[in-house]
Amino acid sequence: MSVIGITFGNTSSSIAVATQDGKVDVIANPDGDRSIPSALSYVGTDEYHGSQAESRLIRNPENTIVNFRDFVGKKFADIKHDFSYGAKPQDANGEIAYKIVNDGKTEVLSLNTVVERHFKQLKLAAEDYIGKPVKNVVLAVPTDFTEHQREELSKIVGNAGLNVLQLINEPSAALLDHLSSEEGKLAEDKIYAVADFGGVRSDGAIISVRGGVLTILATAHEYGLGGDNLDAALSEFFAKEFEKKYKVDPRKTARSLAKLKAESITVRKTLSNVQTSTCSIESLAEGFDFHTSINRLRYELTAREPLSKMTAFVEKLIAKAELDPLDIDEVLLVGGCAHTPKLASSISYLFPASTKVIAPSLVTKASNPSELVARGAALQAALIEGFDQEEINESLQPIVVNTQHLLKPIGIKDADGKFVPILVAETAYPIKRSLEVTNGENSTVSIQLYEGKRTVKETVVENAHDDEEDSEDEDSEEEPEIEREVVYEAGDLLAELSLSDLKPNAKVEVTVNITQNGVLHLTGRELKQGATPVKGEISSQ
């Protein structure tokens, strides 16, 4: 039986499976959707799912359930209704439920029932695509899901007929897929900012990759900031145009608002790919049809506020990790909003030219940001398929949430006195790393281990103006550009040892080992047959 990966979002869900040749397929449901709306709608005795349910927000909003993922494992008193449209959450003896009214009859659906039915539909879509039963799943969840929420979600998914082999964090899954896109990328020591802009919330994580080990350094979450804000800005723009033309306010009825929202979503997605989009809504309000067009620049101006907040969210995320934008090697944008060119370009301005921002508008070969999390979950599913549960829990975790990591690099000085790191900053421990040095013509080699001292080097880049232009209009000169670069120098001495009686140009292996308890061991040995290691040891917490 195949093991699939699923990401379950407030706005949409995705399913993926790794094939035998190592590729990942994102599964489409019977409607052809790979990004499947997390929605259920009820008309009479019929249940609609996905895009069919979402489309009924216009005609049947009170019986259409959306935005329910974050309610898992919570009591009614714990939730907010800021993001709720469609059916409203109800208090059912302290639990969360939805009232569905059809033909005068009221049915109360518990939140767990809604989630279970959603996963049953995802399971059916996966089985229809694969052509055989699906039992096991790796499920991606937000980093701020509590242990209780994780346990509760696993139970619900189990009731839907799927066995959850592993729960992994959403930014971890997205980064796993990105790191798997190129051979050798996982071996590169880099720090990544993963920013996931969903429909009703934004999530982010700073993740270091050191020697193939992934460590979450910081996470951030902002509720009520996402694609819905961009759609709301467009809806308001169109509403004002309609009101100006027909002297009718389309905001007064739920149906008109739902029509505006649905068309705004379409326009936003269109403007991610082309410069101009049309807006066409039949009978928007009081029988008036609405037809207009909008270009990308006007859209970007209209949505300036939420786009600025999303950019600021990335700044806050980096600050929370106590890092500088210079420390970030790559930024991975995730979620439907990542398709927006203005968002990608605004975020890129936060970083130096050396930092690569991964988004479709900036990197032509970038994977679909809406599919990254599901693809990463499928890759992890393929990895753990065939292992028993104990092995999965103990040794097959794809990412470490770990405060045990170096805040500064550790290294030695080279012949010119420059600092050479052996272990870079943000390396998780326990860890062991080795480096080869030579003694030159000396019979003795002294090995000194230093903590790196971080400084930011600023270089003024002079603008190339000729003398005539400068003399004509000195006041019009632009301020010189300043390039910033992080450099490390040798700081505090941590440990020192010497090896003697060496032949000229002998090779010496220097090994730094940091234990689980933070104890540092420095070892040096000559690389020849029968050489006796000389060890030095120092505690550093």
Side-chain angles (χ1 to χ4, degrees), residues 175-325:
L175 186 57
L176 281 173
D177 181 61
H178 176 62
L179 294 175
S180 302
S181 62
E182 297 177 22
E183 188 174 349
K185 200 166 182 64
L186 184 59
E188 298 174 355
D189 286 347
K190 288 186 176 182
I191 295 180
Y192 294 85
V194 181
D196 186 348
F197 299 104
V200 296
R201 58 181 279 178
S202 296
D203 300 271
I206 302 296
I207 304 176
S208 70
V209 179
R210 301 294 188 240
V213 177
L214 284 70
T215 306
I216 292 182
L217 307 178
T219 61
H221 314 277
E222 190 156 345
Y223 303 93
L225 177 63
D228 273 12
N229 301 85
L230 302 178
D231 301 332
L234 273 174
S235 294
E236 180 61 20
F237 175 80
F238 293 139
K240 287 179 178 178
E241 274 208 1
F242 182 85
E243 190 172 17
K244 182 179 179 181
K245 184 175 182 180
Y246 297 106
K247 311 303 180 188
V248 174
D249 186 357
R251 308 175 191 85
K252 290 185 176 180
T253 66
R255 178 173 293 189
S256 294
L257 286 172
K259 286 184 175 183
L260 277 171
K261 178 179 174 60
E263 186 64 12
S264 295
I265 293 172
T266 302
V267 169
R268 171 171 60 87
K269 291 179 178 179
T270 302
L271 289 173
S272 295
N273 300 307
V274 297
Q275 292 294 329
T276 304
S277 175
T278 58
C279 170
S280 182
I281 307 174
E282 291 186 9
S283 189
L284 176 56
E286 295 189 15
F288 291 108
D289 297 337
F290 181 54
H291 303 282
T292 188
S293 63
I294 184 172
N295 60 37
R296 184 183 289 176
L297 178 59
R298 172 58 62 186
Y299 160 57
E300 291 170 352
L301 291 171
T302 299
R304 180 173 58 245
E305 183 179 349
L307 288 171
S308 296
K309 287 182 178 179
M310 290 177 184
T311 304
F313 172 78
V314 177
E315 285 188 287
K316 294 174 188 175
L317 172 64
I318 296 167
K320 191 173 181 181
E322 299 182 353
L323 296 175
D324 189 282

Side-chain angles (χ1 to χ4, degrees), residues 459-526:
T459 305
V460 177
V461 180
E462 297 291 346
N463 292 319
H465 296 292
D466 57 45
D467 294 338
E468 291 183 7
E469 290 176 342
D470 291 344
S471 60
E472 285 177 5
D473 192 0
E474 293 183 359
D475 294 335
S476 67
E477 288 185 9
E478 295 181 1
E479 291 186 5
E481 182 183 350
I482 298 177
E483 289 185 352
R484 301 172 71 240
E485 177 186 8
V486 175
V487 294
Y488 284 94
E489 301 172 352
D492 295 337
L493 180 65
L494 298 178
E496 182 177 11
L497 65 84
S498 296
L499 295 177
S500 57
D501 299 326
L502 300 174
K503 293 182 179 179
N505 298 312
K507 291 183 178 180
V508 174
E509 182 183 65
V510 180
T511 301
V512 176
N513 181 23
I514 301 179
T515 67
Q516 182 75 40
N517 298 325
V519 179
L520 183 152
H521 298 268
L522 174 64
T523 304
R525 69 185 182 93
E526 184 181 359

Side-chain angles (χ1 to χ4, degrees), residues 154-167:
S154 295
K155 290 178 184 176
I156 296 170
V157 175
N159 292 336
L162 288 168
N163 175 44
V164 179
L165 292 182
Q166 193 175 56
L167 293 170

Side-chain angles (χ1 to χ4, degrees), residues 344-393:
S345 62
S346 296
I347 289 174
S348 68
Y349 295 145
L350 299 175
F351 299 91
S354 58
T355 300
K356 191 175 183 180
V357 178
I358 311 298
S361 62
L362 300 177
V363 181
T364 55
K365 293 184 179 180
S367 298
N368 186 338
S370 301
E371 299 176 352
L372 282 167
V373 178
R375 290 172 59 87
L379 288 170
Q380 181 65 11
L383 172 66
I384 67 177
E385 187 174 11
F387 286 89
D388 60 40
Q389 195 63 51
E390 185 176 348
E391 290 174 309
I392 293 170
N393 293 338

